[in-house]
Structures are given as C-alpha cells and as structure tokens.
Amino acid sequence: FPYNQGRNLLYIYSLFGTEQVKMDSVRLASDGSFEFHYDQALPRGFYKIGFRPDRTYLLILGNESIEITGDPENQKEFTVT
C-alpha cells in the first residue's frame, strides 16, 4: 500500500456519514501481505483501509470474504475479489 512510509500497521475504518471510526488494525507480514479476520461477516457498509486516516482506500463490504491484490504504488492496478 502507498503512503506506508515504513509503517507496518494497516487500519480498517468504518464510515457512518461523515464519521470515520477506526475498527481494527493488522501488522503487515514481511512480504507486505495482511489479513483481517472476523468470526462473523462485517455488516454491509462503507469501509476504508490504510496506514493513516487521510490516506485510505474506500471499499463497500459486507457478508463476503474479499482478497485485495495489486501494486501498492498504483491504485489503478488494484483488484478486489
């Protein structure tokens, strides 16, 4: 992910209108991979992931598992499946 500038924690935020709430964080593996794991599916809604609150990627999630792959330096090459 871009903007990590040596950071090794990735955060997930939930969005409620204009309010952004930090929900969780994960430590990146040495290869840059990460996994957020929850026992129950997240409610359908808007979420963001990123290293800082002002540098995030918007996702619409809920009731499914997703995988994010791509070049962290080029958002246009991201794939969410």
Side-chain angles (χ1 to χ4, degrees):
F1 277 84
Y3 316 114
N4 68 340
Q5 299 172 356
R7 294 177 176 90
N8 60 359
L9 285 177
L10 184 69
Y11 299 94
I12 185 167
Y13 304 89
S14 60
L15 300 177
F16 300 100
T18 59
E19 184 179 358
Q20 180 171 294
V21 178
K22 187 185 304 179
M23 294 177 48
D24 200 0
S25 64
V26 293
R27 190 166 303 281
L28 297 179
S30 60
D31 65 357
S33 65
F34 65 92
E35 181 177 348
F36 287 99
H37 178 77
Y38 300 99
D39 292 332
Q40 296 184 352
L42 294 174
R44 182 165 300 281
F46 293 94
Y47 298 87
K48 289 184 173 185
I49 58 172
F51 294 99
R52 298 180 4 200
D54 61 333
R55 300 287 181 137
T56 57
Y57 293 97
L58 178 65
L59 301 169
I60 301 172
L61 302 175
N63 301 320
E64 70 267 331
S65 293
I66 67 164
E67 182 175 330
I68 302 170
T69 57
D71 179 355
E73 298 300 325
N74 186 349
Q75 186 176 6
K76 292 179 181 180
E77 292 185 18
F78 269 22
T79 303
V80 179
T81 55

